[in-house]
Amino acid sequence: MLLLAIESSCDETAAALVDDLGPADHHWRVRSSVIASQVDIHREWGGVVPELASRQHLRDICGVVERALDEAAARWSDLDAVAVTRGPGLIGSLLVGVAFAKAVAAVHRLPLVGVHHLAGHIESLALHNGPLPLPAIVLVVSGGHTSLYHVPEEGRFLLVGKTRDDAAGEAYDKVAKLIGLGYPGGPVIDRLAGAGDDRAVEFPVARMTGADRAAGPERGVPGQFAEALKWRTDFSFSGVKTSVLRYVRKRQEAAGWEAASGAPAPDPRSVFSDAEIADVCASFQRAVVTALLDRTFAAAKWFGARSIGIAGGVSANSRLRADAAARGEAAGLPVFVPSLALTTDNAAMIGAAALRRLARGERDALDMSAEASLAL
Ligand code: KG4
Ligand code: ZN
């Protein structure tokens, strides 16, 4: 079974060819994976501009798919199915991939499989590591999402916690902007934090102990643990971001700037030394990683998980990986992460999730449409 997968939910146009080798083998093999990143276009604006993103997907998608076929030395006639990210994401961006995949399915008479973007991130774990010991607790942490899932069996994902405000990757990006480090912020902060003192500044680690007024009906697992989880597993990252902002403002004011004057604030790089910037990065990163892992390991305990998975763009973070491995070892729990190439948005993970659906006999009709806030 050879499948073409397409991903265009945000600012990466990606295509991959993935093979299903059957249950006796490692399951899935990536034959090619091509990613056209738009990061240089959006950097100028300090974040993803939806309209620019969808236009760039249109320019890139044909070339990206052709290259994925070439690199796998495959022809259109070799394909057995086509898959695409249906949501969630930017609607204009999603539509480009969905329209393209539907056209391929219609012209070549192939089964069409729509995939949830986060199911793709979760399956990147099995794609890289093989099947995880189940039940597992999986943290999906990216620029758009910070969600915790209980995975009782393969392909079944139950939401047990999520961020009440910013996603962790979004907090990295916003903090990087605040201290003048550019976009995207995650990789830069990760690198600079290595040279900093993570105890230099006490940024708060949010603990969600109040009632969850924002909880929707989709949250929690019916029956056991639902009550405990409702109170204990949510994330919040806007507090730590605001406290970095206050820290920066205080230094700018100490340097003679008056907020009320209407004058532009001085460049953070002019009021902090390189060593201080590194300290802020390290301290911020400690707060975020601690918050992520505290809840992930707590949930693993409540659910009697046999493994932990961490996926999504932020799972590339060096401290998150190191601390998760150390805590996993101490708790006797194996911790799985994807390869670095599979952490940020890619189509190979979408292919893996699609092969799982196909193996269960699931597929979609040609009237399938993109959905900006698709539920998993
Ligand atoms: O999964 P992804 O490519 O896109 C979304 O679905 O959002 O994740 C992108 C996010 C960005 O916020 C980026 O800053 C963050 O992942 N990121 C990192 C690192 N590499 C990427 N965050 C922390 N440390 C990193 N090394
Ligand atoms: Zn993603």
Side-chain angles (χ1 to χ4, degrees), residues 40-300:
D40 290 334
I41 295 169
H42 301 293
R43 182 174 287 126
E44 198 181 325
W45 308 94
V48 178
V49 183
E51 179 64 21
L52 293 180
S54 35
R55 284 166 193 264
Q56 193 60 33
H57 284 303
L58 275 176
R59 289 186 197 102
D60 286 338
I61 194 154
C62 292
V64 165
V65 170
E66 275 163 10
R67 222 175 106 195
L69 284 162
D70 278 354
E71 287 186 7
R75 289 162 306 182
W76 288 106
S77 56
D78 296 326
L79 297 178
D80 299 301
V82 57
V84 64
T85 305
R86 244 189 98 192
L90 302 170
I91 191 67
S93 294
L94 288 165
L95 279 168
V96 175
V98 168
F100 192 95
K102 281 159 73 167
V104 169
V107 170
H108 297 283
R109 299 181 186 284
L110 295 172
L112 173 71
V113 188
V115 171
H116 192 286
H117 183 75
L118 296 191
H121 275 302
I122 296 174
E123 297 293 8
S124 73
L125 293 163
L127 181 59
H128 181 65
N129 301 289
L132 268 56
L134 300 178
I137 285 292
V138 175
L139 171 69
V140 181
V141 61
S142 71
H145 304 271
T146 300
S147 300
L148 209 46
Y149 291 93
H150 170 220
V151 185
E153 61 196 59
E154 286 187 344
R156 205 159 155 240
F157 314 120
L158 304 166
L159 183 69
V160 294
K162 64 179 177 182
T163 182
R164 293 195 196 174
D165 38 59
D166 291 351
E170 191 181 355
Y172 266 95
D173 295 338
K174 287 178 177 169
V175 162
K177 205 168 171 180
L178 277 178
I179 52 179
L181 298 177
Y183 172 86
V188 197
I189 291 183
D190 190 0
R191 184 165 46 78
L192 297 181
D197 170 6
D198 69 358
R199 300 273 171 184
V201 194
E202 271 307 312
F203 294 128
V205 178
R207 285 186 217 293
M208 299 283 94
T209 49
D212 181 2
R213 283 184 222 101
E218 88 281 17
R219 287 194 63 255
V221 177
Q224 58 176 348
F225 301 115
E227 199 50 33
L229 289 165
K230 192 171 79 189
W231 294 80
R232 305 279 301 268
T233 52
D234 273 346
F235 301 96
S236 167
F237 295 103
S238 69
V240 63
K241 176 194 66 190
T242 306
S243 89
V244 175
L245 173 66
R246 276 208 213 97
Y247 188 77
V248 173
R249 286 284 179 262
K250 219 184 242 171
R251 288 296 287 270
Q252 288 168 324
E253 281 163 7
W257 175 66
E258 285 175 34
S261 73
D267 184 338
R269 306 304 298 265
S270 70
V271 300
F272 288 109
S273 68
D274 286 351
E276 286 171 324
I277 293 272
D279 286 349
V280 171
C281 290
S283 303
F284 164 76
Q285 181 152 283
R286 180 173 68 86
V288 172
V289 167
T290 305
L292 289 171
L293 293 181
D294 280 355
R295 269 153 216 66
T296 303
F297 277 83

Side-chain angles (χ1 to χ4, degrees), residues 7 9 117-118 121 142-145 312-313 343-345 349:
E7 151 67 38
S9 64
H117 183 75
L118 296 191
H121 275 302
S142 71
H145 304 271
T343 55
T344 42
D345 290 349
M349 67 185 193

